[in-house]
Amino acid sequence: MLLNPLSKNKNYLLGYLSIWAVIIAVHTLILNFFYGINGSISLADSLVFNFSFMVAGYSLWYVIRFNLREKPSFIDMIFNHLLTAVVIIGLWLLLGYFSMKSLYGNHTDYLLFLKNSLAWRAVMGVFYYLLFIMFYYLILYYDDLQEKLKIESKLQNLVTQAELETLKSQINPHFLFNSLNSISSLTITNPGKAQEMVIKLSDFLRYSLSHDKNEKTPLQKEFENLKRYLEIEKVRFGKRLNFVYHIPENCYRYVIPNMILQPLIENSIKHGVYNSADEVQVEITCKEEKYDLVIEISNDYDPETIKPKGEGIGLRNIRKRLQLIYGRTDLLETKADKMVFTARLQLPKEQEDGK
């Protein structure tokens, strides 16, 4: 960053000019009232010495950037600043002294005051120099800190995105393996249904791949894809799977994380239909609350049956995805109430246009 922060930021520049205007006014008043120096001479003295240091202070930024270009040691930096301070303050005093002498050389009292005041002017020069150095180093520290935070934020986003992709890649094969097993079983017993399942599976995977890069999708599209999945499972389980849904029209306008419902339905079928010879009802309902969209998926189940292997991976993946997307851990709840298992999603209401 080579551009001077005072010229880069309009507020910084206005503040800088305002401070020097106050310094010039105070300097003039002190010379006039406390030292009895003529008003015009006091003003000229203040303008010459303060305006010249104002310009020198502005240029100090470039001196600092030049010193930092090769990351010098602390001792080198101190030495460079001492040398720079001596040169700048020396030139400043010479410029001020000879300028005022050329303007008011016939005012002997003022010339005597000017010579006698060079010592405290040098002290003021050191004070000004230190203030400028501190200000510029603070600006550099702040800019470096902002740049580091920006880089850390980008890296965190990349890590989050990679984690989400990993979680989604765990979901798709999970379903794919089960479906292929179903097709394999039907190939011998019912080739026609096996062919039908292949076609529906193809449509389902096409949807999944086409939305791989879009983190959220309207509930309308997600539900249409969910029905494809259920049609595949319906071919496999027949009358044992009874799916019903109650989704008001107004719920379809909200967006939800894509492929978030399919693992829940898959979980319902696995723990409800797999172990039952009777008809099992899988139900999905949706309702609006003040700030959230609540989707519940419930299924009949027998708590006494042996749980299938791999139980819990789908739910853990969903919780992790919701945490990464919304930064919350309380958006998925599950409840086993006697013979009914319910998964409850509570998602912040959000429409496709961001409303």
Side-chain angles (χ1 to χ4, degrees), residues 178-198:
N178 287 338
S179 299
L180 290 175
N181 285 333
S182 301
I183 292 171
S184 175
S185 302
L186 285 173
T187 302
I188 299 174
T189 59
N190 195 333
K193 284 189 176 180
Q195 184 180 14
E196 185 182 346
M197 282 189 69
V198 169

Side-chain angles (χ1 to χ4, degrees), residues 15-291:
Y16 184 71
L17 295 175
S18 300
I19 290 172
W20 278 106
V22 172
I23 292 173
I24 289 172
V26 171
H27 186 141
T28 303
L29 291 174
I30 290 174
L31 293 187
N32 186 245
F33 287 100
F34 291 94
Y35 292 93
I37 298 174
N38 179 279
S40 59
I41 298 176
S42 297
L43 179 60
D45 182 288
S46 179
L47 286 173
V48 167
F49 279 96
N50 290 309
F51 183 78
S52 57
F53 210 103
M54 183 181 78
V55 175
Y58 182 87
S59 306
L60 267 175
W61 169 259
Y62 302 100
V63 176
I64 292 174
R65 296 302 303 170
F66 180 78
N67 285 337
L68 293 177
R69 72 191 189 288
E70 294 180 351
K71 296 183 179 179
S73 65
F74 181 72
I75 295 176
D76 288 340
M77 287 181 64
I78 295 295
F79 176 77
N80 290 339
H81 277 303
L82 285 175
L83 184 63
T84 305
V86 169
V87 172
I88 285 181
I89 294 171
L91 290 175
W92 173 62
L93 291 174
L94 289 174
L95 176 67
Y97 176 80
F98 286 108
S99 296
M100 292 306 296
K101 186 178 180 181
S102 65
L103 290 172
Y104 300 102
N106 55 345
H107 290 71
T108 52
D109 292 341
Y110 172 72
L111 284 180
L112 181 62
F113 168 79
L114 184 62
K115 289 179 182 176
N116 293 336
S117 64
L118 286 177
W120 66 259
R121 289 178 195 270
V123 173
M124 286 302 299
V126 172
F127 177 69
Y128 286 154
Y129 183 88
L130 291 175
L131 283 181
F132 273 111
I133 295 298
M134 288 174 58
F135 173 72
Y136 285 141
Y137 276 113
L138 281 175
I139 290 289
L140 285 171
Y141 174 78
Y142 176 77
D143 287 343
D144 287 346
L145 182 63
Q146 292 301 311
E147 187 65 25
K148 287 178 182 175
L149 291 176
K150 195 181 296 181
I151 292 172
E152 285 179 6
S153 176
K154 286 182 180 178
L155 289 174
Q156 185 60 45
N157 287 337
L158 288 174
V159 171
T160 301
Q161 189 62 33
E163 198 167 353
L164 278 170
E165 293 300 326
T166 302
L167 289 172
K168 281 194 287 186
S169 69
Q170 289 176 2
I171 291 171
N172 291 337
H174 189 57
F175 161 70
L176 184 60
F177 295 147
N178 287 338
S179 299
L180 290 175
N181 285 333
S182 301
I183 292 171
S184 175
S185 302
L186 285 173
T187 302
I188 299 174
T189 59
N190 195 333
K193 284 189 176 180
Q195 184 180 14
E196 185 182 346
M197 282 189 69
V198 169
I199 295 172
K200 292 181 185 301
L201 180 61
S202 173
D203 291 340
F204 178 83
L205 292 178
R206 187 178 298 111
Y207 170 88
S208 174
L209 293 174
S210 67
H211 287 76
D212 194 46
K213 294 180 180 177
N214 300 321
E215 200 52 55
K216 293 177 184 174
T217 189
L219 177 61
Q220 175 78 45
K221 290 185 178 179
E222 181 71 5
F223 186 65
E224 288 171 0
N225 188 57
L226 187 64
K227 287 199 285 188
R228 291 191 191 100
Y229 169 79
L230 284 163
E231 287 169 359
I232 294 170
E233 297 293 56
K234 185 69 177 174
V235 171
R236 180 183 177 195
F237 293 106
K239 292 181 179 179
R240 290 166 56 197
L241 173 60
N242 179 30
F243 176 69
V244 294
Y245 60 92
H246 307 283
I247 302 179
E249 195 64 32
N250 57 319
C251 286
Y252 286 124
R253 58 195 170 123
Y254 295 108
V255 295
I256 64 173
N258 67 64
M259 297 294 291
I260 203 77
L261 297 181
Q262 182 270 330
L264 292 174
I265 291 292
E266 183 180 5
N267 192 66
S268 295
I269 292 174
K270 182 191 296 181
H271 297 285
V273 185
Y274 273 33
N275 301 310
S276 175
D278 302 324
E279 178 181 310
V280 173
Q281 179 166 296
V282 176
E283 182 178 7
I284 178 169
T285 61
C286 181
K287 65 179 180 180
E288 274 190 82
E289 292 189 348
K290 189 173 182 180
Y291 300 109

